[in-house]
Amino acid sequence: MTMRLRRLTPCIGAEVEGIDLRAPLTSEHAQSIHEAMDKHAVLVFRAQALSDDEHAAFTRALGEMEDARGSSLRAATDFRLPTNFADVSNLDGNHKPYGPGDRGRLFAIGNRLWHSDSSFKPIPAKYSLLRAVCIPSRGGNTEFAHMGAAYEALDEETRTLIEDLVCEHSQLFSRESIGFTDFTPEERSRFRPVRQRLVRTLPGTGRKSIYLSSHAGGIVGWPLPEARLLLRDLTEHATQPRFVYSHRWQVNDLVMWDNRQTMHRARPFPAHEPRDMRRTTLKGDAPTVLEQAA
Ligand SMILES: [Fe+2]
């Protein structure tokens, strides 16, 4: 197999052709994929009719998988997938779309805010691998923004300002920003904030990026309004169209992105139509701050 890459935009994303993800991944191909991820940040694999097991096996060939439990409000009775999958669908345990006012759904649609997966965990995610099993008739694109390119486009003064800042991330913050505050004491404890650097360096390339996410709700040592305004300004800057690739899904697409150097968001679609999307996630290597004060 010869893997070929085709750029999707000048800034971010490439489509990968000439590889069957059902086949065991050779170490050469794994290496090529890591290098392509460092370079393009988002890789699109079309027409990959994978089972959940094949999807998980491909993920494990690239690194250690994250456990998906505890990150959503999905009830245990609504689990449809293995515990190392994040169920990004709008479907309940009976494979039916959640009602418009369902609490779990209202929490889940927070993924329409720009974010980086698992930035609310002490060791945040490396790659996410999302596969389309069933898609709605319209809408539901996923958009990706390149945080390395966004960093490089900052003026020198802003780069200096943010270089050593540390943010507090929590799903409480992202949901609060869209008016969802309906959390139980157990959920508030489970979602307590963690700290992340605002500027990260990608180990494979030395390229710096802004580590933003809707989960970021404060900056250590800063007054809250000032912190949130800076985060809002940075997010506005970093998500300009010149840094963005918008993925229009087809069934059996697998899209992989690097959470260390991108943000992404889902776009709306008709809520009564099934959208079955399944995600595996690779663990990050280490915390972004030395002392992880949760
Ligand atoms: Fe996400």
Side-chain angles (χ1 to χ4, degrees):
M1 282 191 298
T2 309
M3 231 175 74
R4 296 180 302 280
L5 291 169
R6 187 174 60 81
R7 272 187 189 276
L8 294 165
T9 76
C11 171
I12 178 171
E15 183 171 341
V16 184
E17 293 169 327
I19 184 165
D20 179 352
L21 302 186
R22 291 172 303 186
L25 197 66
T26 63
S27 54
E28 290 80 14
H29 275 138
Q31 183 60 30
S32 300
I33 287 173
H34 286 300
E35 287 168 10
M37 284 294 280
D38 274 353
K39 185 171 179 188
H40 299 287
V42 177
L43 295 180
V44 171
F45 302 85
R46 299 274 194 189
Q48 303 286 341
L50 304 181
S51 65
D52 290 342
D53 284 348
E54 288 163 339
H55 182 161
F58 173 61
T59 309
R60 276 193 295 267
L62 295 169
E64 192 182 345
M65 279 171 83
E66 244 186 39
D67 193 309
R69 284 174 291 189
S71 298
S72 77
L73 301 191
R74 184 174 281 270
T77 50
D78 279 347
F79 285 170
R80 301 181 315 130
L81 306 175
T83 54
N84 49 9
F85 274 75
D87 191 342
V88 192
S89 77
N90 62 343
L91 306 175
D92 64 19
N94 296 315
H95 303 270
K96 295 275 182 285
Y98 283 114
D102 184 274
R103 181 172 170 272
R105 173 182 178 272
L106 294 176
F107 176 85
I109 61 174
N111 66 15
R112 292 187 201 163
L113 297 167
W114 286 105
H115 66 282
S116 177
D117 286 335
S118 300
S119 76
F120 49 81
K121 292 187 178 178
I123 297 180
K126 187 176 180 181
Y127 304 161
S128 293
L129 298 88
L130 185 62
R131 174 174 126 248
V133 175
C134 172
I135 58 173
S137 61
R138 63 183 191 279
N141 281 15
T142 304
E143 297 179 345
F144 300 92
H146 200 300
M147 296 298 104
Y151 176 85
E152 286 148 17
L154 290 172
D155 59 62
E156 195 56 46
E157 188 181 346
T158 309
R159 281 194 225 173
T160 304
L161 172 72
I162 68 173
E163 177 68 27
D164 293 318
L165 295 181
V166 173
C167 296
E168 299 205 298
H169 290 236
S170 166
Q171 295 199 93
L172 300 173
F173 299 144
S174 49
R175 272 49 187 193
E176 173 197 273
S177 77
I178 51 169
F180 185 103
T181 54
D182 174 22
F183 291 102
T184 66
E186 182 277 322
E187 288 159 356
R188 286 190 182 277
S189 167
R190 177 153 47 101
F191 296 154
R192 64 189 176 278
V194 305
R195 292 182 170 186
Q196 308 289 1
R197 289 188 61 88
L198 184 51
V199 177
R200 297 185 70 170
T201 303
L202 199 67
T205 62
R207 193 177 185 186
K208 286 185 175 179
S209 61
I210 323 174
Y211 190 44
L212 286 169
S213 186
S214 60
H215 308 308
I219 297 172
V220 176
W222 279 44
L224 198 51
E226 199 166 18
R228 291 207 176 175
L229 286 167
L230 175 62
L231 292 170
R232 196 177 285 199
D233 280 348
L234 289 171
T235 300
E236 193 175 307
H237 160 80
T239 56
Q240 296 174 70
R242 62 182 162 137
F243 304 130
V244 171
Y245 164 66
S246 180
H247 185 71
R248 189 187 185 93
W249 289 94
Q250 296 171 6
V251 169
N252 291 331
D253 282 354
L254 185 137
V255 178
M256 174 161 57
W257 62 89
D258 186 342
N259 289 291
R260 301 169 303 177
Q261 53 167 341
T262 60
M263 278 204 292
H264 62 281
R265 66 172 178 176
R267 303 308 294 143
F269 60 94
H272 61 281
E273 294 187 20
R275 181 178 187 262
D276 189 346
M277 310 289 287
R278 305 180 183 193
R279 193 190 90 206
T280 54
T281 314
L282 279 190
K283 268 187 184 171
D285 300 325
T288 66
V289 287
L290 287 179
E291 300 154 42
Q292 182 51 248

